[in-house]
Amino acid sequence: VQLQASGGGLVQAGGSLRLSCAVSGFTLNRRAIGWFRQAPGKEREGVSCISSRGDGIYYADSVKGRFAISRHIAKNTVYLQMNGLKPEDTALYYCAAGGSDWSVHSCRGSVTDYIDWGQGTLVTVSS
């Protein structure tokens, strides 16, 4: 199982980025995928997740209305579209896969629930 996050970069406040999480070793319709972030000196926190069926989506309050999660089944890739970026969004962003025994209609926002993790991609938002 592998998860490969990419798409990070340096952007000005108000700008946009799209992160990608390419997965291998399983298909997206079998496991939920979550996006997490960790800013310097802070704990890793949940940002968004999507269920294996694709009909259960969660956003942290801090990103609601600005971020959107989606997926491309054929490409086995999950995306995080980030608009209206703020300096406080600066962090290392990770994607992770949940358990195959989860409900197909829901995902979870807790770091400790996720099993397989990719490496992070750095997002830096300048003011």
Side-chain angles (χ1 to χ4, degrees):
V1 171
Q2 284 192 327
L3 297 95
Q4 181 80 26
S6 62
L10 174 63
V11 64
Q12 288 188 331
S16 298
L17 283 173
R18 188 177 80 159
L19 305 184
S20 298
C21 176
V23 309
S24 59
F26 65 96
T27 56
L28 293 178
N29 57 10
R30 298 298 299 272
R31 300 175 71 179
I33 299 295
W35 281 101
F36 298 83
R37 66 186 181 186
Q38 187 165 17
K42 294 189 177 181
E43 293 187 352
R44 193 171 298 187
E45 63 176 2
V47 175
S48 181
C49 63
I50 185 166
S51 67
S52 59
R53 187 64 61 86
D55 57 352
I57 288 177
Y58 159 86
Y59 295 104
D61 288 343
S62 58
V63 306
K64 278 181 183 175
R66 300 188 297 123
F67 290 12
I69 192 169
S70 63
R71 63 184 193 171
H72 193 301
I73 295 295
K75 293 183 178 180
N76 230 21
T77 300
V78 175
Y79 304 99
L80 185 68
Q81 178 67 43
M82 307 186 296
N83 300 324
L85 283 162
K86 305 175 181 181
E88 51 264 42
D89 294 318
T90 294
L92 201 54
Y93 283 72
Y94 300 86
C95 57
S100 57
D101 58 340
W102 290 10
S103 165
V104 298
H105 302 294
S106 64
C107 58
R108 306 178 188 180
S110 174
V111 170
T112 56
D113 286 326
Y114 286 76
I115 299 170
D116 295 300
W117 290 80
Q119 89 299 346
T121 185
L122 182 62
V123 172
T124 304
V125 184
S126 63
S127 57

